[in-house]
Amino acid sequence: GAVVSQHPSRVICKSGTSVKIECRSLDFQATTMFWYRQFPKQSLMLMATSNEGSKATYEQGVEKDKFLINHASLTLSTLTVTSAHPEDSSFYICSARTYLAGSTDTQYFGPGTRLTVL
Amino acid sequence: DAKTTQPTSMDCAEGRAANLPCNHSTISGNEYVYWYRQIHSQGPQYIIHGLKNNETNEMASLIITEDRKSSTLILPHATLRDTAVYYCIVRDGGSQGNLIFGKGTKLSVKP
């Protein structure tokens, strides 16, 4: 099946530093990747959509200068949280879209990255 | 994308079938019904999706009513590992549609 990996799985950083999270589609090429975040006891919230080779589209309320997204290849997207603060502590999850044979497209999700900003 | 309504929580006995309902009365003709689940502290896992015909795979069955206003996800023989939050999502089949997650149903499988 379609596998999406994320690295790191867990990161703790000091306030004011930047953190980069990688998302890879391991066995398929994904023209579109998505970034979500999830606060405790809440559902996933879509942050942005990125297409390979073009600028990401951010959801309303998500600061594009704070959450930098790069989608340089069909198998890799990165999310950089710049100048992280404690309120950025969350569970960040990426997703990649692919087409199943004879069907419409489907999104597969990575295992998530737990970010804790001290 | 059309909204969905799911019960907040459900219990199921281990080994029995788990039937998770979802209402999507405003679904339009080109929107698919997707089901995902999220086990605690993990990323969502794709289960199944369908347009209007019933679907079955190795994980579950999806029953969509004829008017497409509701659907039921069936886990035929629930195990303790099926305890998770199950999300029913309606999404446009075109490339513009995104997966927007609601609150889902917390399924607890009990021994």
Side-chain angles (χ1 to χ4, degrees):
Chain A
V3 179
V4 178
S5 71
Q6 273 184 250
H7 178 80
S9 59
R10 186 182 299 269
V11 58
I12 301 173
C13 70
K14 293 182 179 180
S15 185
T17 61
S18 294
V19 175
K20 180 185 283 189
I21 302 170
E22 288 189 353
C23 175
R24 294 180 185 272
S25 55
L26 297 186
D27 51 0
F28 65 97
Q29 293 183 331
T31 55
T32 306
M33 287 186 166
F34 306 83
W35 287 94
Y36 293 77
R37 65 180 167 183
Q38 185 175 32
F39 293 106
K41 300 188 185 302
Q42 294 186 22
S43 188
L44 283 78
M45 292 184 59
L46 179 64
M47 299 175 67
T49 302
S50 74
N51 291 296
E52 185 262 341
S54 61
K55 291 184 178 180
T57 301
Y58 291 81
E59 294 298 301
Q60 191 172 9
V62 178
E63 300 174 57
K64 62 180 180 180
D65 294 331
K66 181 168 185 61
F67 298 99
L68 301 180
I69 293 172
N70 183 278
H71 191 166
S73 78
L74 290 173
T75 60
L76 173 64
S77 176
T78 60
L79 168 68
T80 301
V81 182
T82 62
S83 187
H85 291 283
E87 57 266 30
D88 298 321
S89 298
S90 188
F91 192 48
Y92 290 87
I93 309 168
C94 75
S95 175
R97 175 184 281 166
T98 188
Y99 284 83
L100 300 177
S103 180
T104 188
D105 59 88
T106 301
Q107 280 180 230
Y108 294 91
F109 288 80
T113 297
R114 177 77 57 193
L115 170 63
T116 303
V117 185
L118 302 177
Chain B
D1 296 322
K3 290 186 183 290
T4 62
T5 304
Q6 299 178 252
T8 302
S9 63
M10 292 181 65
D11 290 342
C12 177
E14 187 179 18
R16 304 296 293 268
N19 299 289
L20 293 93
C22 179
N23 286 323
H24 31 79
S25 59
T26 60
I27 193 171
S28 62
N30 61 341
E31 289 181 314
Y32 286 72
V33 181
Y34 286 80
W35 282 84
Y36 285 80
R37 71 181 182 184
Q38 186 178 27
I39 296 169
H40 183 61
S41 295
Q42 297 182 24
Q45 177 187 21
Y46 166 78
I47 301 174
I48 199 167
H49 75 281
L51 182 62
K52 52 186 177 182
N53 297 323
N54 297 337
E55 302 287 346
T56 295
N57 62 21
E58 65 278 4
M59 288 185 68
S61 294
L62 174 60
I63 309 298
I64 302 174
T65 57
E66 193 169 340
D67 63 7
R68 303 211 318 124
K69 293 185 176 182
S70 66
S71 60
T72 301
L73 178 75
I74 301 173
L75 306 179
H77 304 287
T79 70
L80 299 179
R81 288 177 294 180
D82 292 322
T83 292
V85 178
Y86 287 75
Y87 296 98
C88 168
I89 304 169
V90 170
R91 206 212 101 190
D92 192 290
S95 61
Q96 299 304 312
N98 294 328
L99 287 178
I100 304 300
F101 286 76
K103 297 185 186 300
T105 295
K106 171 73 166 114
L107 175 68
S108 298
V109 181
K110 299 181 184 298

